[in-house]
């Protein structure tokens, strides 16, 4: 068992309360093309990379445009929403700064790079993370472990000495599959599935409850093999 040396944050649902914005924007976009979400579209897209969710909207939901165009147009709408009103979760910036005094920090997000950079700049957090990574920069989005494994690798660490803070089912599964100690912050509107929250070593009601002392109480296991 090893002491935690770094904390890897998710972005959507942990630092910004954006899941509802994503749903609203994508539903409106789909409706503008005369289509509707499939019953499981929202749950499936939470954690998907840009390439994955845009392909879902084009190929499965039936938006009659190429997936790259779907992605560009939806991301444009999201960027406009963020410019008008960045939905920061209360206490999130303070938690990032507080943990940054005691741990190395990284960010592993399903958002596109353009949105990650915009959010961090608007929130004054551009300098807070040693590593920031989008799932569009790795082979597979969440729930695959790729984004967490890559973030940890870029820190020069192993998963066993890192903790992740996640809210969604696919995010929790991704961090757990990568071998990080997982802190779950369930979203009130989109609660994670039972198997996903079971990945968490610690579950808190809000991001403001995450402290350095609670992270210190976690112990990650060194990766084997």
């Amino acid at each position: 068992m090893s002491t935690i040396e770094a904390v890897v944050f998710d972005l959507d649902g942990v630092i910004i309360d954006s899941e509802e914005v994503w749903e609203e924007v994508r539903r409106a976009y789909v409706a503008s093309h005369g289509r509707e979400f499939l019953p499981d579209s929202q749950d499936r897209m939470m954690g998907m990379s840009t390439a994955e969710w845009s392909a879902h909207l084009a190929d499965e939901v039936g938006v009659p445009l190429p997936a790259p165009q779907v992605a560009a147009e939806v991301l444009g709408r999201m960027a406009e929403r963020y410019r008008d009103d960045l939905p920061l979760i209360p206490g999130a910036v303070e938690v990032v700064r507080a943990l940054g005094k005691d741990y190395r920090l990284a960010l592993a997000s399903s958002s596109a790079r353009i949105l990650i950079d915009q959010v961090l700049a608007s929130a004054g957090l551009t300098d807070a993370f040693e590593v920031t990574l989008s799932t569009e920069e790795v082979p597979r989005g969440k729930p695959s472990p790729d984004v967490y494994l890559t973030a940890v690798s870029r820190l020069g660490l192993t998963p066993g000495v890192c903790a992740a803070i996640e809210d969604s089912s696919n995010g929790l599964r991704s961090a757990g599959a990568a071998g990080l100690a997982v802190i779950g912050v369930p979203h009130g509107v989109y609660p994670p599935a039972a198997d996903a929250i079971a990945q968490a070593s610690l579950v808190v009601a809000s991001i403001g409850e995450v402290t350095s002392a609670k992270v210190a109480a976690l112990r990650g296991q060194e990766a084997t093999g």
Side-chain angles (χ1 to χ4, degrees), residues 86-108:
L86 185 66
L88 280 170
I89 292 176
V93 171
E94 291 79 5
V95 168
V96 171
R97 290 298 184 189
L99 294 187
K101 295 177 181 177
D102 299 310
Y103 300 97
R104 299 172 65 189
L105 302 184
L107 184 82

Side-chain angles (χ1 to χ4, degrees), residues 140-215:
R140 300 172 298 174
K142 303 172 184 179
S144 295
D146 302 26
V147 71
Y148 278 103
L149 292 174
T150 303
V152 167
S153 176
R154 291 187 182 180
L155 287 171
L157 300 173
T158 62
V161 296
C162 297
I165 304 178
E166 271 285 0
D167 68 302
S168 69
S169 292
N170 284 339
L172 291 159
R173 293 172 182 136
S174 174
L180 284 73
V182 183
I183 300 172
V185 190
H187 194 286
V189 178
Y190 308 103
D195 73 287
I197 199 65
Q199 300 287 331
S201 301
L202 171 67
V203 178
V204 295
S206 69
I207 188 65
E209 295 181 22
V210 181
T211 63
S212 288
K214 288 182 179 178
V215 173

Side-chain angles (χ1 to χ4, degrees), residues 114-150:
I114 187 173
L115 295 183
I116 293 173
D117 292 345
Q118 181 176 331
V119 168
L120 295 183
S122 297
L125 291 175
T126 300
D127 65 336
F129 300 96
E130 288 185 46
V131 173
T132 63
L133 196 64
S134 166
T135 52
E136 67 182 12
E137 298 162 348
V138 297
R140 300 172 298 174
K142 303 172 184 179
S144 295
D146 302 26
V147 71
Y148 278 103
L149 292 174
T150 303

